[in-house]
C-alpha cells in the first residue's frame, strides 16, 4: 500500500523537506542554531526531524569514523568553501590556500598551528571561527588544508 493516499501529499512532504533543508543550510551559513530555526519556522520544522531525513546538516558535523582530513573536508565545505572554494580566496585573490601562498602570506608560515590560529581568531576580512567550531573541528580543518595544499586543490 502506498503511504500517500493522494499524489499531492507526497509532493507537499517533499516541498516541506526542501524548504526545511534550505532554511537549515542558510541558518548554518549564518551561524543560526537549529533551535532558532525551529522557533522561527514553527511546526513544519519541528515535525520533520533531521534524523528522519538521515542527513547531517550541522555545519560542524563530522562523522566519527572519518579521518581528521576527511572530517576537516566536511567542515571546510560547510564553513569555508563560500570564500575558499578550490583553495582560492574570493576576497583577496593573492592569498589563496595554495602551498606557495600559505608559505608567503600566512602568519607563522604554512603549518597546522598557523592555520588553527587564523581560523580560530580570524584576520582582516576573515571572520573568527573560534566561537562556531570547537578545537577538534578547527584542527581537522587545518589538517585538511595542509594536506590539500600539498597534494593540490584540483585533485
Amino acid at each position: 500500500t502506498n503511504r500517500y493516499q493522494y499524489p499531492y501529499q507526497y509532493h507537499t512532504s517533499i516541498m516541506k523537506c526542501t524548504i526545511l533543508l534550505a532554511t537549515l543550510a542558510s541558518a548554518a551559513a549564518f551561524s543560526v542554531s537549529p533551535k532558532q530555526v525551529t522557533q522561527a519556522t514553527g511546526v513544519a520544522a519541528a515535525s520533520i526531524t533531521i534524523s528522519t531525513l538521515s542527513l547531517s546538516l550541522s555545519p560542524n558535523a563530522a562523522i566519527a569514523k572519518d579521518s581528521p582530513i576527511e572530517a576537516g573536508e566536511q567542515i571546510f565545505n560547510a564553513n569555508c568553501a563560500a570564500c575558499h572554494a578550490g583553495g582560492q580566496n574570493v576576497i583577496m585573490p593573492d592569498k589563496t590556500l595554495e602551498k606557495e601562498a600559505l608559505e608567503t602570506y600566512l602568519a607563522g608560515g604554512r603549518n597546522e598551528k598557523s592555520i588553527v590560529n587564523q581560523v580560530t581568531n580570524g584576520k582582516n576580512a576573515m571572520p573568527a571561527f573560534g566561537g562556531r567550531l570547537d578545537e577538534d573541528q578547527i584542527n581537522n580543518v587545518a589538517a585538511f588544508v595542509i594536506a590539500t595544499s600539498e597534494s593540490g586543490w584540483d585533485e
Side-chain angles (χ1 to χ4, degrees), residues 23-34 37 50 55-63 70-81 129 131-134 137-138 141:
T23 303
L24 289 173
S26 296
F30 294 100
S31 298
V32 177
S33 74
V37 172
I50 293 172
L55 295 173
S56 175
L57 298 175
S58 170
N60 307 331
I63 300 170
E70 291 169 327
E73 181 177 17
Q74 292 176 7
I75 297 163
F76 180 92
N77 288 337
N79 292 276
C80 313
F129 284 84
R132 298 182 221 182
L133 301 175
D134 66 34
Q137 293 167 323
I138 292 172
V141 168

Side-chain angles (χ1 to χ4, degrees), residues 99-146:
K99 183 176 181 177
E100 296 77 21
L102 290 174
E103 290 169 348
T104 303
Y105 298 111
L106 185 62
R110 182 185 161 268
N111 60 68
E112 288 187 30
K113 182 178 178 184
S114 296
I115 293 172
V116 165
N117 183 54
Q118 178 124 353
V119 172
T120 302
N121 301 308
K123 185 175 180 184
N124 298 325
M126 182 173 162
F129 284 84
R132 298 182 221 182
L133 301 175
D134 66 34
E135 186 177 337
D136 288 339
Q137 293 167 323
I138 292 172
N139 287 332
N140 290 343
V141 168
F144 168 72
V145 169
I146 289 295

Side-chain angles (χ1 to χ4, degrees), residues 14-35:
I14 294 296
M15 183 178 64
K16 286 180 182 179
C17 287
T18 303
I19 291 169
L20 176 62
L21 292 174
T23 303
L24 289 173
S26 296
F30 294 100
S31 298
V32 177
S33 74
K35 182 178 180 181

Side-chain angles (χ1 to χ4, degrees), residues 76 84-89 93-106 109-110 115 145-146 148-155:
F76 180 92
H84 293 290
Q88 299 306 300
N89 186 331
D94 291 339
K95 297 184 177 182
T96 69
L97 301 179
E98 301 286 344
K99 183 176 181 177
E100 296 77 21
L102 290 174
E103 290 169 348
T104 303
Y105 298 111
L106 185 62
R110 182 185 161 268
I115 293 172
V145 169
I146 289 295
T148 309
S149 70
E150 184 65 35
S151 65
W153 286 89
D154 295 333
E155 297 177 20

